[in-house]
Amino acid sequence: DYVTRHGFGYSVFEHEEDGIASSLTMFVAIDAPIKFVVLTLHNGCERTRTLSVTGYLEWVLGDERAKTAMHIGTAREAGTNALFAHNPTDMDFAGRTAFFDVDITSDDHFSAGCDRHEFLGAGGNLQRPAAMKAKALSGAKGFALDPCAALRVGFTLASGQTRDIVFRLGAGATPEQARALVQQWRGPTLAQETLAAVKQHWAHTLGAVQ
């Protein structure tokens, strides 16, 4: 069974599978162009589990993916887990840079990739991506790809342990602003504070008239 709950400014998707309880919370920051996707996992088993979480999206950066895909460039900078993407041919938003980021710890296994064709596989689709059978993502990035953004975090979860995996999708007006947003909004604590601010904002807005 799945449970889906929609609140003012956020949505939650809950499920339990093979002793692992999951809660996926999605919301957008009130004061920044960033969407949060927070996956909370709890190990209800009596043994340690080895898990991986993969975040995936397909870049558009324009009006239609079919027209923009060939022009989108992707990159990953040293010292950061974030993937960046931009479309230099979009005259209205040529300087804008989008990013997809995830928090990891020093004990995690991390990999990334930006090639949609490689992720899905020949004749593949999102129901059965080829990349989900691979131990790690390839790290492909650059131009002349079928652009996407995929981030994978591998970790162990002890019996009774709970962990948050925080993905962030956002955009900056310039590459420098995008990098600054990545650094500024990292950390599970900040994600919790941002969700609290979202709830407070809507409570104040919708509670103005009673």
Side-chain angles (χ1 to χ4, degrees):
D1 293 334
Y2 291 81
V3 176
T4 301
R5 296 186 286 110
H6 299 292
F8 295 117
Y10 68 96
S11 293
V12 181
F13 306 87
E14 298 172 332
H15 179 60
E16 185 169 346
E17 183 80 24
D18 195 21
I20 301 296
S22 65
S23 177
L24 184 73
T25 305
M26 306 174 67
F27 55 96
V28 176
I30 293 296
D31 54 352
I34 300 179
K35 175 181 178 179
F36 287 80
V37 180
V38 181
L39 179 63
T40 301
L41 298 175
H42 175 76
N43 182 7
C45 304
E46 296 182 355
R47 69 186 192 279
T48 297
R49 303 293 294 274
T50 300
L51 306 170
S52 68
V53 173
T54 302
Y56 172 86
L57 60 87
E58 298 177 1
W59 296 117
V60 179
L61 304 186
D63 54 355
E64 294 182 33
R65 177 180 168 80
K67 294 192 299 185
T68 62
M70 69 181 70
H71 304 297
I72 295 174
T74 54
R76 179 186 170 210
E77 295 187 4
T80 177
N81 311 319
L83 297 174
F84 296 88
H86 73 288
N87 177 7
T89 66
D90 190 325
M91 299 306 296
D92 294 326
F93 304 101
R96 288 192 176 272
T97 299
F99 61 86
F100 189 42
D101 190 23
V102 65
D103 292 327
I104 65 172
T105 71
S106 58
D107 296 327
D108 293 338
H109 298 284
F110 174 79
S111 60
C114 297
D115 189 342
R116 175 177 177 271
H117 177 75
E118 181 180 72
F119 186 90
L120 298 181
N125 56 56
L126 289 176
Q127 293 182 339
R128 197 181 297 269
M132 299 306 288
K133 298 180 181 179
K135 292 183 178 180
L137 303 177
S138 70
K141 59 185 182 297
F143 282 94
L145 299 175
D146 188 0
C148 74
L151 301 172
R152 177 172 296 170
V153 183
F155 55 93
T156 58
L157 202 63
S159 176
Q161 183 180 1
T162 300
R163 172 164 175 181
D164 288 343
I165 305 294
V166 181
F167 291 94
R168 287 171 300 278
L169 170 66
T174 63
E176 293 75 19
Q177 187 184 70
R179 286 191 290 267
L181 287 170
V182 166
Q183 296 297 332
Q184 179 183 352
W185 289 88
R186 282 187 161 166
T189 301
L190 188 57
Q192 296 170 5
E193 294 173 352
T194 303
L195 178 57
V198 168
K199 293 180 177 180
Q200 182 180 13
H201 167 80
W202 284 108
H204 174 76
T205 300
L206 300 176
V209 177
Q210 297 185 9

